[in-house]
Amino acid sequence: MITISKVSKWYGKIQVLKNCSAEVAKGEVVVVCGPSGSGKSTLIKCVNALEPFQEGTITVEGISVGDPKTNLPKLRARIGMVFQHFELFPHLSVIRNLTLSQIKVLGRDPKAAAEKATKLLERVGLGAHAQKYPGQLSGGQQQRVAIARALAMDPIAMLFDEPTSALDPEMINEVLDVMVTLAKEGMTMIVVTHEMEFARKVANRVVFMDKGEIVEDAPTADFFGKPRSERAQQFLSKILQH
Amino acid sequence: MNYNWNWGIFFQLSPDGTYTYLQLLLFGAGWTLATALLAWAIALSVGAVVGVIRTSPNPWLVRLGNAYVELFRNIPLLVQMFLWYFVLPEIMPQAIGDWLKQSANASFYNAVICLGLYTSARVAEQVKAGILSLRSGQRMAGLAMGLTLPQTYRYVLLPMAFRIILPPLGSEFLNIIKNSSVALTIGLIELTAAARSMAEFSFQVFEAFTGATLIYIIINIVVVSGMRWLERRVAVPGFISMGQPAAAH
Ligand SMILES: Nc1ncnc2c1ncn2[C@@H]1O[C@H](COP(=O)(O)OP(=O)(O)O)[C@@H](O)[C@H]1O
Ligand SMILES: [Mg+2]
């Protein structure tokens, strides 16, 4: 469904992605991990063209992301994205965070949009908070709203950029639980995270990045069993100590 | 000091034989408000557009916006007033130039346009700062949901940016009221000019300018309370400041 092929990207003279290739099939969950600054965020932001790249191609269901003729808003509307800092719109109530782009992008009738939003909020356990504002919710609640907001667009795939790393530890699980359910329902997901338990539980594959390169791309069991590269081994042993 | 105080002067007829001095001052206040309000409409709309393009991803638009702001901010308001009033009609095609010069309210139109554009540069600066104070993730979130860039500005960035810059925009509005007095140099009989002419005709200089000062203060109080009301009305529940949701950390 998502094909990343020989993608390279530079910020000025600094190369932040080096010849990255990966494939995500429909219904697959791929976890991306690696040290800070290795290019994980940049790579997934290339998938929905939030970041431009200079070389290589990315296609989403056959549509080329880098092609100047591609209708980017239309493409992005089909890919959900969840950010590290939630990025809810603070001036809109929770429910209006969920209806905004349903109405403005998909042209849904406001009533149908609100019904859909209400259902999704109930699904992430926040039905009672629809009329609140993001600033009145805890981090974990905000992130669940952000997931519901992305789901409101009926995405064909979801991108997560460290969705739990800005959360207090006691809130991490409420967010991961929502993601696990989503994965089990068959959502196609690329998840940048260091939550290795989550990876073990739901990921089909783990991609390890370092210094802009995809160093390892292995089935989950293989990756945790014995990573081939030394860099991945070191990274794993460091992260599993915690 | 040998000065004859005469507070009753406000209710005496002015030399025009129809209106009292108080009425003249109030007419002046009317021109001041009309100039300030119309100029503010220009300042706000042009300033919003210029502020937005200065934060756009297109480097040429950014340069254009920057040049606009530098141009209008760095030439003294008084000079701009003269340029619009005396120079513009001369460099326009003859017909338009003549119309500009003969129009009954020429100084008013000129003052509105001049003050509006001058202030728009200052508003643009605030709008830009407001947008840049939001986390870059806000723009990304809007785009990631499929909103176009203009929609992202309209529904995501500007509503927050304007809330954040509401206090400095309020000061700009007070500035525009005060700056409208510069228009007396091109012949607009606004409040300060009205006070001056009252002083000249009646010789009651202190009363005339005290009257004008009081009217400025009243306008000021009304504007400030209006801004307070607006700030409360658009306040975002749970939002503290600078794009940081209150409960995020
Ligand atoms: N806007 C930017 N300008 C310049 N360099 C950037 C920018 N964004 C990210 N980088 C650099 O790109 C590299 C990869 O960043 P990122 O994708 O955020 O890494 P990760 O998400 O793996 O921590 C880092 O070295 C970072 O400093
Ligand atoms: Mg990152």
PDB file of all heavy atoms in Angstrom, chain A residues 45-81:
ATOM      1  N   LYS A  45       7.036  11.866   7.793  1.00  0.00           N
ATOM      2  CA  LYS A  45       6.441  13.098   7.263  1.00  0.00           C
ATOM      3  C   LYS A  45       6.595  13.192   5.746  1.00  0.00           C
ATOM      4  O   LYS A  45       5.872  13.931   5.085  1.00  0.00           O
ATOM      5  CB  LYS A  45       7.034  14.323   7.950  1.00  0.00           C
ATOM      6  CG  LYS A  45       6.411  14.541   9.324  1.00  0.00           C
ATOM      7  CD  LYS A  45       7.084  15.621  10.122  1.00  0.00           C
ATOM      8  CE  LYS A  45       6.457  15.681  11.514  1.00  0.00           C
ATOM      9  NZ  LYS A  45       7.357  16.302  12.498  1.00  0.00           N
ATOM     10  N   CYS A  46       7.562  12.458   5.215  1.00  0.00           N
ATOM     11  CA  CYS A  46       7.672  12.395   3.754  1.00  0.00           C
ATOM     12  C   CYS A  46       6.494  11.613   3.158  1.00  0.00           C
ATOM     13  O   CYS A  46       6.074  11.875   2.041  1.00  0.00           O
ATOM     14  CB  CYS A  46       8.985  11.733   3.336  1.00  0.00           C
ATOM     15  SG  CYS A  46      10.421  12.800   3.549  1.00  0.00           S
ATOM     16  N   VAL A  47       5.974  10.657   3.934  1.00  0.00           N
ATOM     17  CA  VAL A  47       4.916   9.793   3.398  1.00  0.00           C
ATOM     18  C   VAL A  47       3.660  10.597   3.074  1.00  0.00           C
ATOM     19  O   VAL A  47       2.995  10.342   2.071  1.00  0.00           O
ATOM     20  CB  VAL A  47       4.597   8.638   4.385  1.00  0.00           C
ATOM     21  CG1 VAL A  47       3.371   7.864   3.941  1.00  0.00           C
ATOM     22  CG2 VAL A  47       5.790   7.713   4.513  1.00  0.00           C
ATOM     23  N   ASN A  48       3.315  11.582   3.920  1.00  0.00           N
ATOM     24  CA  ASN A  48       2.159  12.403   3.542  1.00  0.00           C
ATOM     25  C   ASN A  48       2.578  13.800   3.083  1.00  0.00           C
ATOM     26  O   ASN A  48       1.816  14.745   3.160  1.00  0.00           O
ATOM     27  CB  ASN A  48       1.107  12.455   4.658  1.00  0.00           C
ATOM     28  CG  ASN A  48       1.653  13.066   5.932  1.00  0.00           C
ATOM     29  OD1 ASN A  48       2.837  13.371   6.022  1.00  0.00           O
ATOM     30  ND2 ASN A  48       0.784  13.253   6.907  1.00  0.00           N
ATOM     31  N   ALA A  49       3.795  13.896   2.595  1.00  0.00           N
ATOM     32  CA  ALA A  49       4.286  15.113   1.944  1.00  0.00           C
ATOM     33  C   ALA A  49       4.288  16.334   2.857  1.00  0.00           C
ATOM     34  O   ALA A  49       4.230  17.459   2.395  1.00  0.00           O
ATOM     35  CB  ALA A  49       3.484  15.426   0.678  1.00  0.00           C
ATOM     36  N   LEU A  50       4.384  16.111   4.162  1.00  0.00           N
ATOM     37  CA  LEU A  50       4.578  17.263   5.040  1.00  0.00           C
ATOM     38  C   LEU A  50       6.016  17.750   4.921  1.00  0.00           C
ATOM     39  O   LEU A  50       6.311  18.896   5.207  1.00  0.00           O
ATOM     40  CB  LEU A  50       4.264  16.893   6.494  1.00  0.00           C
ATOM     41  CG  LEU A  50       2.789  16.716   6.833  1.00  0.00           C
ATOM     42  CD1 LEU A  50       2.621  16.332   8.293  1.00  0.00           C
ATOM     43  CD2 LEU A  50       1.989  17.963   6.514  1.00  0.00           C
ATOM     44  N   GLU A  51       6.902  16.839   4.528  1.00  0.00           N
ATOM     45  CA  GLU A  51       8.280  17.213   4.230  1.00  0.00           C
ATOM     46  C   GLU A  51       8.570  16.823   2.784  1.00  0.00           C
ATOM     47  O   GLU A  51       8.246  15.708   2.378  1.00  0.00           O
ATOM     48  CB  GLU A  51       9.260  16.450   5.136  1.00  0.00           C
ATOM     49  CG  GLU A  51       9.225  16.862   6.591  1.00  0.00           C
ATOM     50  CD  GLU A  51       9.862  18.211   6.857  1.00  0.00           C
ATOM     51  OE1 GLU A  51      10.434  18.790   5.899  1.00  0.00           O
ATOM     52  OE2 GLU A  51       9.790  18.668   7.998  1.00  0.00           O
ATOM     53  N   PRO A  52       9.150  17.725   2.016  1.00  0.00           N
ATOM     54  CA  PRO A  52       9.537  17.354   0.651  1.00  0.00           C
ATOM     55  C   PRO A  52      10.832  16.538   0.680  1.00  0.00           C
ATOM     56  O   PRO A  52      11.595  16.630   1.637  1.00  0.00           O
ATOM     57  CB  PRO A  52       9.769  18.710  -0.022  1.00  0.00           C
ATOM     58  CG  PRO A  52      10.129  19.633   1.090  1.00  0.00           C
ATOM     59  CD  PRO A  52       9.464  19.114   2.340  1.00  0.00           C
ATOM     60  N   PHE A  53      11.049  15.716  -0.323  1.00  0.00           N
ATOM     61  CA  PHE A  53      12.333  15.004  -0.407  1.00  0.00           C
ATOM     62  C   PHE A  53      12.888  15.177  -1.810  1.00  0.00           C
ATOM     63  O   PHE A  53      12.155  15.450  -2.759  1.00  0.00           O
ATOM     64  CB  PHE A  53      12.167  13.522  -0.043  1.00  0.00           C
ATOM     65  CG  PHE A  53      11.031  12.833  -0.748  1.00  0.00           C
ATOM     66  CD1 PHE A  53      11.229  12.184  -1.965  1.00  0.00           C
ATOM     67  CD2 PHE A  53       9.751  12.858  -0.210  1.00  0.00           C
ATOM     68  CE1 PHE A  53      10.179  11.562  -2.615  1.00  0.00           C
ATOM     69  CE2 PHE A  53       8.687  12.244  -0.868  1.00  0.00           C
ATOM     70  CZ  PHE A  53       8.904  11.593  -2.072  1.00  0.00           C
ATOM     71  N   GLN A  54      14.217  15.045  -1.939  1.00  0.00           N
ATOM     72  CA  GLN A  54      14.862  15.400  -3.197  1.00  0.00           C
ATOM     73  C   GLN A  54      15.043  14.217  -4.130  1.00  0.00           C
ATOM     74  O   GLN A  54      15.029  14.377  -5.343  1.00  0.00           O
ATOM     75  CB  GLN A  54      16.214  16.074  -2.938  1.00  0.00           C
ATOM     76  CG  GLN A  54      16.111  17.505  -2.425  1.00  0.00           C
ATOM     77  CD  GLN A  54      15.873  17.586  -0.910  1.00  0.00           C
ATOM     78  OE1 GLN A  54      16.066  16.623  -0.187  1.00  0.00           O
ATOM     79  NE2 GLN A  54      15.441  18.739  -0.452  1.00  0.00           N
ATOM     80  N   GLU A  55      15.232  13.019  -3.564  1.00  0.00           N
ATOM     81  CA  GLU A  55      15.466  11.862  -4.428  1.00  0.00           C
ATOM     82  C   GLU A  55      14.591  10.695  -4.018  1.00  0.00           C
ATOM     83  O   GLU A  55      14.208  10.571  -2.857  1.00  0.00           O
ATOM     84  CB  GLU A  55      16.939  11.431  -4.350  1.00  0.00           C
ATOM     85  CG  GLU A  55      17.852  12.284  -5.201  1.00  0.00           C
ATOM     86  CD  GLU A  55      19.306  11.848  -5.080  1.00  0.00           C
ATOM     87  OE1 GLU A  55      19.577  10.752  -4.549  1.00  0.00           O
ATOM     88  OE2 GLU A  55      20.162  12.635  -5.506  1.00  0.00           O
ATOM     89  N   GLY A  56      14.301   9.841  -5.002  1.00  0.00           N
ATOM     90  CA  GLY A  56      13.516   8.646  -4.731  1.00  0.00           C
ATOM     91  C   GLY A  56      12.023   8.890  -4.915  1.00  0.00           C
ATOM     92  O   GLY A  56      11.606   9.985  -5.307  1.00  0.00           O
ATOM     93  N   THR A  57      11.245   7.847  -4.647  1.00  0.00           N
ATOM     94  CA  THR A  57       9.799   7.985  -4.804  1.00  0.00           C
ATOM     95  C   THR A  57       9.089   7.357  -3.608  1.00  0.00           C
ATOM     96  O   THR A  57       9.592   6.429  -2.972  1.00  0.00           O
ATOM     97  CB  THR A  57       9.289   7.262  -6.064  1.00  0.00           C
ATOM     98  OG1 THR A  57       9.744   5.915  -6.011  1.00  0.00           O
ATOM     99  CG2 THR A  57       9.767   7.929  -7.341  1.00  0.00           C
ATOM    100  N   ILE A  58       7.912   7.920  -3.305  1.00  0.00           N
ATOM    101  CA  ILE A  58       7.017   7.305  -2.323  1.00  0.00           C
ATOM    102  C   ILE A  58       5.652   7.224  -2.993  1.00  0.00           C
ATOM    103  O   ILE A  58       5.186   8.211  -3.586  1.00  0.00           O
ATOM    104  CB  ILE A  58       6.916   8.148  -1.041  1.00  0.00           C
ATOM    105  CG1 ILE A  58       8.282   8.238  -0.344  1.00  0.00           C
ATOM    106  CG2 ILE A  58       5.889   7.544  -0.083  1.00  0.00           C
ATOM    107  CD1 ILE A  58       8.279   9.080   0.915  1.00  0.00           C
ATOM    108  N   THR A  59       5.050   6.042  -2.968  1.00  0.00           N
ATOM    109  CA  THR A  59       3.692   5.950  -3.493  1.00  0.00           C
ATOM    110  C   THR A  59       2.763   5.427  -2.404  1.00  0.00           C
ATOM    111  O   THR A  59       3.142   4.608  -1.584  1.00  0.00           O
ATOM    112  CB  THR A  59       3.601   5.006  -4.709  1.00  0.00           C
ATOM    113  OG1 THR A  59       4.023   3.701  -4.310  1.00  0.00           O
ATOM    114  CG2 THR A  59       4.457   5.490  -5.863  1.00  0.00           C
ATOM    115  N   VAL A  60       1.546   5.972  -2.420  1.00  0.00           N
ATOM    116  CA  VAL A  60       0.497   5.528  -1.519  1.00  0.00           C
ATOM    117  C   VAL A  60      -0.647   5.032  -2.386  1.00  0.00           C
ATOM    118  O   VAL A  60      -1.246   5.816  -3.124  1.00  0.00           O
ATOM    119  CB  VAL A  60       0.020   6.676  -0.605  1.00  0.00           C
ATOM    120  CG1 VAL A  60      -1.136   6.210   0.280  1.00  0.00           C
ATOM    121  CG2 VAL A  60       1.163   7.193   0.247  1.00  0.00           C
ATOM    122  N   GLU A  61      -0.922   3.765  -2.352  1.00  0.00           N
ATOM    123  CA  GLU A  61      -1.893   3.137  -3.241  1.00  0.00           C
ATOM    124  C   GLU A  61      -1.676   3.564  -4.686  1.00  0.00           C
ATOM    125  O   GLU A  61      -2.606   3.955  -5.386  1.00  0.00           O
ATOM    126  CB  GLU A  61      -3.319   3.479  -2.807  1.00  0.00           C
ATOM    127  CG  GLU A  61      -3.708   2.751  -1.516  1.00  0.00           C
ATOM    128  CD  GLU A  61      -5.204   2.478  -1.427  1.00  0.00           C
ATOM    129  OE1 GLU A  61      -5.960   3.438  -1.653  1.00  0.00           O
ATOM    130  OE2 GLU A  61      -5.585   1.329  -1.166  1.00  0.00           O
ATOM    131  N   GLY A  62      -0.420   3.540  -5.097  1.00  0.00           N
ATOM    132  CA  GLY A  62      -0.098   3.836  -6.483  1.00  0.00           C
ATOM    133  C   GLY A  62       0.034   5.308  -6.813  1.00  0.00           C
ATOM    134  O   GLY A  62       0.510   5.674  -7.881  1.00  0.00           O
ATOM    135  N   ILE A  63      -0.366   6.188  -5.887  1.00  0.00           N
ATOM    136  CA  ILE A  63      -0.268   7.623  -6.157  1.00  0.00           C
ATOM    137  C   ILE A  63       1.088   8.125  -5.678  1.00  0.00           C
ATOM    138  O   ILE A  63       1.472   7.913  -4.517  1.00  0.00           O
ATOM    139  CB  ILE A  63      -1.390   8.394  -5.446  1.00  0.00           C
ATOM    140  CG1 ILE A  63      -2.747   7.920  -5.979  1.00  0.00           C
ATOM    141  CG2 ILE A  63      -1.234   9.891  -5.643  1.00  0.00           C
ATOM    142  CD1 ILE A  63      -3.904   8.301  -5.090  1.00  0.00           C
ATOM    143  N   SER A  64       1.807   8.805  -6.577  1.00  0.00           N
ATOM    144  CA  SER A  64       3.144   9.262  -6.234  1.00  0.00           C
ATOM    145  C   SER A  64       3.092  10.534  -5.397  1.00  0.00           C
ATOM    146  O   SER A  64       2.537  11.552  -5.808  1.00  0.00           O
ATOM    147  CB  SER A  64       3.941   9.504  -7.520  1.00  0.00           C
ATOM    148  OG  SER A  64       5.144  10.139  -7.181  1.00  0.00           O
ATOM    149  N   VAL A  65       3.686  10.471  -4.199  1.00  0.00           N
ATOM    150  CA  VAL A  65       3.628  11.602  -3.269  1.00  0.00           C
ATOM    151  C   VAL A  65       4.445  12.787  -3.774  1.00  0.00           C
ATOM    152  O   VAL A  65       4.062  13.946  -3.624  1.00  0.00           O
ATOM    153  CB  VAL A  65       4.142  11.153  -1.880  1.00  0.00           C
ATOM    154  CG1 VAL A  65       4.223  12.319  -0.919  1.00  0.00           C
ATOM    155  CG2 VAL A  65       3.252  10.051  -1.324  1.00  0.00           C
ATOM    156  N   GLY A  66       5.579  12.501  -4.393  1.00  0.00           N
ATOM    157  CA  GLY A  66       6.478  13.570  -4.808  1.00  0.00           C
ATOM    158  C   GLY A  66       6.102  14.208  -6.138  1.00  0.00           C
ATOM    159  O   GLY A  66       6.687  15.219  -6.532  1.00  0.00           O
ATOM    160  N   ASP A  67       5.133  13.635  -6.829  1.00  0.00           N
ATOM    161  CA  ASP A  67       4.744  14.165  -8.134  1.00  0.00           C
ATOM    162  C   ASP A  67       4.043  15.513  -7.964  1.00  0.00           C
ATOM    163  O   ASP A  67       3.058  15.610  -7.237  1.00  0.00           O
ATOM    164  CB  ASP A  67       3.785  13.150  -8.800  1.00  0.00           C
ATOM    165  CG  ASP A  67       3.425  13.566 -10.215  1.00  0.00           C
ATOM    166  OD1 ASP A  67       3.622  14.749 -10.555  1.00  0.00           O
ATOM    167  OD2 ASP A  67       2.950  12.699 -10.960  1.00  0.00           O
ATOM    168  N   PRO A  68       4.574  16.583  -8.618  1.00  0.00           N
ATOM    169  CA  PRO A  68       3.957  17.894  -8.447  1.00  0.00           C
ATOM    170  C   PRO A  68       2.478  17.922  -8.875  1.00  0.00           C
ATOM    171  O   PRO A  68       1.730  18.808  -8.457  1.00  0.00           O
ATOM    172  CB  PRO A  68       4.788  18.827  -9.338  1.00  0.00           C
ATOM    173  CG  PRO A  68       5.894  18.023  -9.897  1.00  0.00           C
ATOM    174  CD  PRO A  68       5.724  16.584  -9.509  1.00  0.00           C
ATOM    175  N   LYS A  69       2.066  16.969  -9.699  1.00  0.00           N
ATOM    176  CA  LYS A  69       0.674  16.978 -10.151  1.00  0.00           C
ATOM    177  C   LYS A  69      -0.285  16.342  -9.139  1.00  0.00           C
ATOM    178  O   LYS A  69      -1.487  16.481  -9.259  1.00  0.00           O
ATOM    179  CB  LYS A  69       0.559  16.235 -11.498  1.00  0.00           C
ATOM    180  CG  LYS A  69       1.174  17.027 -12.655  1.00  0.00           C
ATOM    181  CD  LYS A  69       0.745  16.489 -14.007  1.00  0.00           C
ATOM    182  CE  LYS A  69       1.388  15.161 -14.335  1.00  0.00           C
ATOM    183  NZ  LYS A  69       2.799  15.264 -14.771  1.00  0.00           N
ATOM    184  N   THR A  70       0.288  15.667  -8.144  1.00  0.00           N
ATOM    185  CA  THR A  70      -0.578  15.006  -7.159  1.00  0.00           C
ATOM    186  C   THR A  70      -1.328  16.024  -6.305  1.00  0.00           C
ATOM    187  O   THR A  70      -0.745  17.026  -5.872  1.00  0.00           O
ATOM    188  CB  THR A  70       0.272  14.103  -6.240  1.00  0.00           C
ATOM    189  OG1 THR A  70       0.901  13.118  -7.047  1.00  0.00           O
ATOM    190  CG2 THR A  70      -0.585  13.425  -5.188  1.00  0.00           C
ATOM    191  N   ASN A  71      -2.609  15.780  -6.112  1.00  0.00           N
ATOM    192  CA  ASN A  71      -3.410  16.630  -5.240  1.00  0.00           C
ATOM    193  C   ASN A  71      -3.093  16.272  -3.786  1.00  0.00           C
ATOM    194  O   ASN A  71      -3.631  15.326  -3.223  1.00  0.00           O
ATOM    195  CB  ASN A  71      -4.893  16.401  -5.556  1.00  0.00           C
ATOM    196  CG  ASN A  71      -5.800  17.272  -4.704  1.00  0.00           C
ATOM    197  OD1 ASN A  71      -5.412  17.746  -3.633  1.00  0.00           O
ATOM    198  ND2 ASN A  71      -7.005  17.480  -5.180  1.00  0.00           N
ATOM    199  N   LEU A  72      -2.195  17.077  -3.173  1.00  0.00           N
ATOM    200  CA  LEU A  72      -1.709  16.712  -1.843  1.00  0.00           C
ATOM    201  C   LEU A  72      -2.782  16.740  -0.756  1.00  0.00           C
ATOM    202  O   LEU A  72      -2.859  15.822   0.055  1.00  0.00           O
ATOM    203  CB  LEU A  72      -0.516  17.584  -1.459  1.00  0.00           C
ATOM    204  CG  LEU A  72       0.773  17.297  -2.234  1.00  0.00           C
ATOM    205  CD1 LEU A  72       1.898  18.187  -1.737  1.00  0.00           C
ATOM    206  CD2 LEU A  72       1.176  15.838  -2.129  1.00  0.00           C
ATOM    207  N   PRO A  73      -3.624  17.801  -0.699  1.00  0.00           N
ATOM    208  CA  PRO A  73      -4.660  17.768   0.342  1.00  0.00           C
ATOM    209  C   PRO A  73      -5.521  16.516   0.263  1.00  0.00           C
ATOM    210  O   PRO A  73      -5.861  15.908   1.290  1.00  0.00           O
ATOM    211  CB  PRO A  73      -5.478  19.033   0.047  1.00  0.00           C
ATOM    212  CG  PRO A  73      -4.515  19.955  -0.601  1.00  0.00           C
ATOM    213  CD  PRO A  73      -3.615  19.068  -1.426  1.00  0.00           C
ATOM    214  N   LYS A  74      -5.823  16.083  -0.963  1.00  0.00           N
ATOM    215  CA  LYS A  74      -6.661  14.905  -1.121  1.00  0.00           C
ATOM    216  C   LYS A  74      -5.926  13.648  -0.622  1.00  0.00           C
ATOM    217  O   LYS A  74      -6.497  12.804   0.071  1.00  0.00           O
ATOM    218  CB  LYS A  74      -7.010  14.748  -2.613  1.00  0.00           C
ATOM    219  CG  LYS A  74      -8.283  13.980  -2.845  1.00  0.00           C
ATOM    220  CD  LYS A  74      -8.695  14.062  -4.298  1.00  0.00           C
ATOM    221  CE  LYS A  74      -9.503  12.832  -4.659  1.00  0.00           C
ATOM    222  NZ  LYS A  74      -9.698  12.735  -6.110  1.00  0.00           N
ATOM    223  N   LEU A  75      -4.644  13.581  -0.969  1.00  0.00           N
ATOM    224  CA  LEU A  75      -3.842  12.448  -0.509  1.00  0.00           C
ATOM    225  C   LEU A  75      -3.738  12.435   1.019  1.00  0.00           C
ATOM    226  O   LEU A  75      -3.941  11.414   1.673  1.00  0.00           O
ATOM    227  CB  LEU A  75      -2.440  12.534  -1.126  1.00  0.00           C
ATOM    228  CG  LEU A  75      -1.456  11.471  -0.675  1.00  0.00           C
ATOM    229  CD1 LEU A  75      -1.500  10.300  -1.633  1.00  0.00           C
ATOM    230  CD2 LEU A  75      -0.045  12.024  -0.592  1.00  0.00           C
ATOM    231  N   ARG A  76      -3.444  13.617   1.589  1.00  0.00           N
ATOM    232  CA  ARG A  76      -3.258  13.692   3.043  1.00  0.00           C
ATOM    233  C   ARG A  76      -4.540  13.377   3.793  1.00  0.00           C
ATOM    234  O   ARG A  76      -4.509  12.827   4.892  1.00  0.00           O
ATOM    235  CB  ARG A  76      -2.782  15.093   3.437  1.00  0.00           C
ATOM    236  CG  ARG A  76      -1.361  15.386   3.020  1.00  0.00           C
ATOM    237  CD  ARG A  76      -1.033  16.825   3.381  1.00  0.00           C
ATOM    238  NE  ARG A  76       0.288  17.204   2.919  1.00  0.00           N
ATOM    239  CZ  ARG A  76       0.555  18.371   2.363  1.00  0.00           C
ATOM    240  NH1 ARG A  76      -0.403  19.262   2.187  1.00  0.00           N
ATOM    241  NH2 ARG A  76       1.780  18.648   1.978  1.00  0.00           N
ATOM    242  N   ALA A  77      -5.667  13.747   3.193  1.00  0.00           N
ATOM    243  CA  ALA A  77      -6.943  13.487   3.865  1.00  0.00           C
ATOM    244  C   ALA A  77      -7.157  11.996   4.070  1.00  0.00           C
ATOM    245  O   ALA A  77      -7.899  11.584   4.958  1.00  0.00           O
ATOM    246  CB  ALA A  77      -8.088  14.076   3.040  1.00  0.00           C
ATOM    247  N   ARG A  78      -6.490  11.155   3.264  1.00  0.00           N
ATOM    248  CA  ARG A  78      -6.696   9.708   3.375  1.00  0.00           C
ATOM    249  C   ARG A  78      -5.694   9.058   4.307  1.00  0.00           C
ATOM    250  O   ARG A  78      -5.759   7.864   4.552  1.00  0.00           O
ATOM    251  CB  ARG A  78      -6.586   9.073   1.979  1.00  0.00           C
ATOM    252  CG  ARG A  78      -7.564   9.706   0.997  1.00  0.00           C
ATOM    253  CD  ARG A  78      -7.369   9.153  -0.384  1.00  0.00           C
ATOM    254  NE  ARG A  78      -7.765   7.763  -0.455  1.00  0.00           N
ATOM    255  CZ  ARG A  78      -7.267   6.902  -1.353  1.00  0.00           C
ATOM    256  NH1 ARG A  78      -6.344   7.292  -2.204  1.00  0.00           N
ATOM    257  NH2 ARG A  78      -7.678   5.664  -1.369  1.00  0.00           N
ATOM    258  N   ILE A  79      -4.713   9.832   4.786  1.00  0.00           N
ATOM    259  CA  ILE A  79      -3.703   9.283   5.697  1.00  0.00           C
ATOM    260  C   ILE A  79      -3.817  10.011   7.030  1.00  0.00           C
ATOM    261  O   ILE A  79      -3.664  11.222   7.098  1.00  0.00           O
ATOM    262  CB  ILE A  79      -2.284   9.492   5.131  1.00  0.00           C
ATOM    263  CG1 ILE A  79      -2.198   8.922   3.720  1.00  0.00           C
ATOM    264  CG2 ILE A  79      -1.249   8.851   6.041  1.00  0.00           C
ATOM    265  CD1 ILE A  79      -0.890   9.245   3.040  1.00  0.00           C
ATOM    266  N   GLY A  80      -4.127   9.265   8.075  1.00  0.00           N
ATOM    267  CA  GLY A  80      -4.224   9.891   9.387  1.00  0.00           C
ATOM    268  C   GLY A  80      -2.846  10.116   9.978  1.00  0.00           C
ATOM    269  O   GLY A  80      -1.926   9.333   9.742  1.00  0.00           O
ATOM    270  N   MET A  81      -2.697  11.208  10.747  1.00  0.00           N
ATOM    271  CA  MET A  81      -1.398  11.419  11.385  1.00  0.00           C
ATOM    272  C   MET A  81      -1.584  11.836  12.835  1.00  0.00           C
ATOM    273  O   MET A  81      -2.429  12.668  13.155  1.00  0.00           O
ATOM    274  CB  MET A  81      -0.605  12.475  10.645  1.00  0.00           C
ATOM    275  CG  MET A  81       0.771  12.685  11.229  1.00  0.00           C
ATOM    276  SD  MET A  81       1.969  13.052   9.951  1.00  0.00           S
ATOM    277  CE  MET A  81       3.489  12.751  10.818  1.00  0.00           C
TER     278      MET A  81
END
